Amino acid sequence: MTKVMDQRGYQKYWNEERETLDPEKRNEIILNRIQKQLDYVYHTLPFYRKHYDNHNFKPSDVKTIEDFSRKVPIITKKMLVADQLENPTFGSYAGPFKSNEIARIQGSSGTSGTPTFYQVSKEDWERAAEIHAMAMWSTGLRPDDVIQIGFPFSLFFGGWGVLQGAERIGSTIFPLGAIESDKHLDLIERIKPSTFSGTVSYCMHLLMKAKEKGIDLQESSVTRLIAGGEIGASLPHTKEILTNGWNASLHDAGSTSEMYPFMTSTACESQSGVHLYQDEVFTEIVSGDDPHQPIAMGERGAIVYTHLWRQSQPMIRFWPGDESFMTDEPCSCGRTYPRLPHGVLGRLDDMLVIRGTNIYPSAIENIVRSLSWSSAEYQIIVDKKGALDEMLVKIEYKNERREDQRLQMENEAKELFKTKLGIRIGVELIEQGSLPETIFKARRVVDNRKTS
């Protein structure tokens, strides 16, 4: 096969045969891996054998990919946490690995309770490096790039995956981690990286901090942002602010702690959604009410993920509670993987029902980011007043705006919320710097109904 080259003299694809494979042939590989994984987990991991027996399911029941969706029971984070409590430390789905076979121990951040621990075998870690490299190569990252990493290097997987993929590519890595924003901005000026990677919130935070300090990130060396760790990089107005503010392309790099270190999806240089690496992590879109009901291309539904190769703590039909829709229309980049055109749209369990209307926090963010005067921080507060649910959105406005413009800005926000969401939402404008700064993952929603 003659390699396709890019404008910089590198091959266009990290693995051209794999990335441009005919989808029908890829589906054959996927089905084969599904069947092998089902056989492995049923006969090796007590968690899955018990779960499948309780649902009267046997691996031999799966003859097609559709059988997989319709017959294999899902697993959830709640089930994983419970199993680790009963079978410390890694659960009965961890696999029979010796300590000298394990490359990494990582975990979830534990922000909502006890952290979930993950162990990654050396073989799985090596394979994950390859998929990370393929994903990051699709964003345009090359060996002659310098990448500055703003993810924390901690229990959380995020920064380690970026480091892993960039190392495999051969890029120069500046792994700063989650340090003071002033230091990041100073070192962008001094080191002159071509790429910056961090959470969406942190990229936004740095942009606002730069403006406060009189630094124009449009003039910086950064031409590429690789953002993940939370929903937002594919939201149109968030993307517009970051792309224009940094004068850089923005690439949504999605996954969840449970699927890491295997990358599930990344936005390529064509910027037409995130490609799903189906022959590594198989992604389904199913009914939010019935995980055994597949959803047609283009229709919104719940996401379900499956590790096709991982053997140390494999996730088989893991339900993260995320919602999106998929397309298999051709992408101009030439990759034949299907895409989520707008990335992950939101979390099903984060959906707020306000006076009978379903509202996703991501929809609120997209509206807030469309306001020319809004700063980096905002907060959504939900209360019950009598028999009615009420929502208030606190929005910081930029310092350069005058106090006498407050009423005009407030009315603009209220009208936009009413037009876009169909209901009246309260708006409170507050001065820039009033809310806690987001330097990792944003925690925007305060739902007082859950505590009242």
Side-chain angles (χ1 to χ4, degrees):
M1 175 184 291
T2 302
K3 296 290 184 182
V4 178
M5 309 302 287
D6 64 19
Q7 294 180 343
R8 294 163 65 181
Y10 292 101
Q11 61 187 42
K12 181 178 179 180
Y13 305 103
W14 179 256
N15 186 331
E16 184 171 347
E17 181 178 3
R18 180 179 185 179
E19 295 172 68
T20 62
L21 189 65
D22 179 276
E24 290 301 318
K25 292 183 178 179
R26 183 179 293 125
N27 284 341
E28 294 176 7
I29 295 172
I30 291 170
L31 177 59
N32 179 262
R33 289 309 310 169
I34 283 172
Q35 292 170 330
K36 288 183 181 300
Q37 281 289 72
L38 288 172
D39 186 71
Y40 167 71
V41 300
Y42 185 77
H43 292 100
T44 309
L45 308 181
F47 169 84
Y48 281 103
R49 187 179 189 100
K50 179 181 178 181
H51 184 47
Y52 291 168
D53 284 349
N54 286 341
H55 286 81
N56 297 314
F57 168 76
K58 293 290 188 292
S60 58
D61 294 338
V62 174
K63 302 292 194 300
T64 65
I65 291 178
E66 186 174 352
D67 284 344
F68 180 66
S69 297
R70 293 190 179 279
K71 298 179 180 180
V72 180
I74 61 167
I75 60 173
T76 65
K77 177 67 173 284
K78 186 176 180 179
M79 294 166 60
L80 300 178
V81 171
D83 186 65
Q84 286 198 354
L85 289 173
E86 293 175 9
N87 303 278
T89 296
F90 301 104
S92 64
Y93 57 93
F97 289 92
K98 300 176 182 177
S99 59
N100 64 354
E101 296 175 309
I102 299 299
R104 286 294 181 110
I105 295 174
Q106 304 279 166
S108 65
S109 57
T111 51
S112 59
T114 305
T116 307
F117 291 100
Y118 308 108
Q119 62 177 13
V120 186
S121 71
K122 292 177 180 177
E123 183 176 347
D124 285 340
W125 187 254
E126 279 298 306
R127 184 171 186 93
E130 184 69 11
I131 191 65
H132 263 285
M134 188 173 80
M136 295 177 72
W137 189 274
S138 76
T139 71
L141 190 72
R142 299 291 185 264
D144 58 0
D145 280 305
V146 177
I147 179 170
Q148 184 166 319
I149 302 176
F151 280 106
F153 290 99
S154 61
L155 190 65
F156 174 64
F157 257 127
W160 299 108
V162 175
L163 178 67
Q164 183 189 36
E167 282 183 335
R168 180 61 62 92
I169 286 174
S171 304
T172 299
I173 303 164
F174 191 33
L176 281 185
I179 64 171
E180 298 88 351
S181 55
D182 286 353
K183 181 66 71 174
H184 262 296
L185 291 170
D186 176 58
L187 290 170
I188 286 174
E189 289 286 306
R190 294 171 60 187
I191 303 299
K192 300 191 183 306
S194 60
T195 304
F196 183 85
S197 183
T199 64
V200 183
S201 295
Y202 195 56
C203 290
M204 185 72 73
H205 170 74
L206 285 182
L207 178 60
M208 297 304 171
K209 277 294 181 182
K211 290 180 179 179
E212 288 178 17
K213 293 171 65 67
I215 298 171
D216 187 358
L217 285 179
Q218 290 183 331
E219 301 298 324
S220 79
S221 59
V222 176
T223 60
R224 182 183 304 104
L225 298 172
I226 300 176
E230 59 184 347
I231 295 168
S234 292
L235 293 176
H237 290 297
T238 299
K239 189 172 183 177
E240 181 181 7
I241 291 172
L242 290 176
T243 298
N244 292 339
W246 285 77
N247 191 26
S249 60
L250 175 63
H251 303 270
D252 194 347
S255 196
T256 68
S257 295
E258 290 73 24
M259 305 316 294
Y260 252 68
F262 293 88
M263 182 63 73
T264 59
S265 60
T266 312
C268 68
E269 290 180 282
S270 298
Q271 297 285 286
S272 55
V274 296
H275 284 282
L276 297 166
Y277 304 116
Q278 295 290 70
D279 52 358
E280 193 69 44
V281 174
F282 181 59
T283 302
E284 308 165 64
I285 304 292
V286 300
S287 167
D289 298 320
D290 181 0
H292 299 292
Q293 180 62 51
I295 294 294
M297 287 285 176
E299 296 183 14
R300 290 174 65 142
I303 298 175
V304 177
Y305 293 122
T306 294
H307 284 126
L308 293 183
W309 299 85
R310 180 175 179 172
Q311 295 203 317
S312 52
Q313 287 181 302
M315 300 290 109
I316 310 298
R317 297 212 77 218
F318 175 72
W319 174 283
D322 292 336
E323 184 181 34
S324 191
F325 68 97
M326 190 185 302
T327 181
D328 55 2
E329 294 179 358
C331 179
S332 61
C333 75
R335 292 174 179 85
T336 55
Y337 289 113
R339 289 168 287 125
L340 304 180
H342 299 300
V344 175
L345 300 174
R347 292 187 60 82
L348 293 166
D349 53 3
D350 283 348
M351 184 179 70
L352 301 166
V353 181
I354 308 296
R355 301 191 297 277
T357 301
N358 297 339
I359 299 176
Y360 284 102
S362 58
I364 296 288
E365 175 170 344
N366 200 41
I367 293 171
V368 170
R369 299 303 185 205
S370 73
L371 299 166
S372 61
W373 45 262
S374 66
S375 186
E377 304 299 336
Y378 67 94
Q379 189 177 61
I380 303 167
I381 300 175
V382 183
D383 284 294
K384 182 175 284 292
K385 297 183 178 180
L388 294 178
D389 294 321
E390 296 291 344
M391 176 182 286
L392 172 70
V393 182
K394 293 184 177 182
I395 307 173
E396 288 188 355
Y397 60 90
K398 294 176 182 176
N399 286 333
E400 61 264 26
R401 294 287 176 160
R402 301 191 311 272
E403 176 67 21
D404 60 8
Q405 295 176 306
R406 181 190 290 262
L407 182 59
Q408 178 184 345
M409 293 187 293
E410 184 177 301
N411 288 335
E412 180 188 0
K414 287 180 177 178
E415 185 62 30
L416 201 55
F417 284 133
K418 184 178 180 181
T419 301
K420 297 290 186 181
L421 302 178
I423 66 169
R424 176 184 54 80
I425 290 178
V427 173
E428 179 183 337
L429 301 191
I430 53 180
E431 293 182 355
Q432 187 173 336
S434 299
L435 294 172
E437 295 179 341
T438 299
I439 58 173
F440 182 36
K441 289 188 178 184
R443 300 289 177 183
R444 306 285 190 194
V445 181
V446 178
D447 193 342
N448 294 320
R449 297 173 302 179
K450 296 180 179 180
T451 58
S452 59

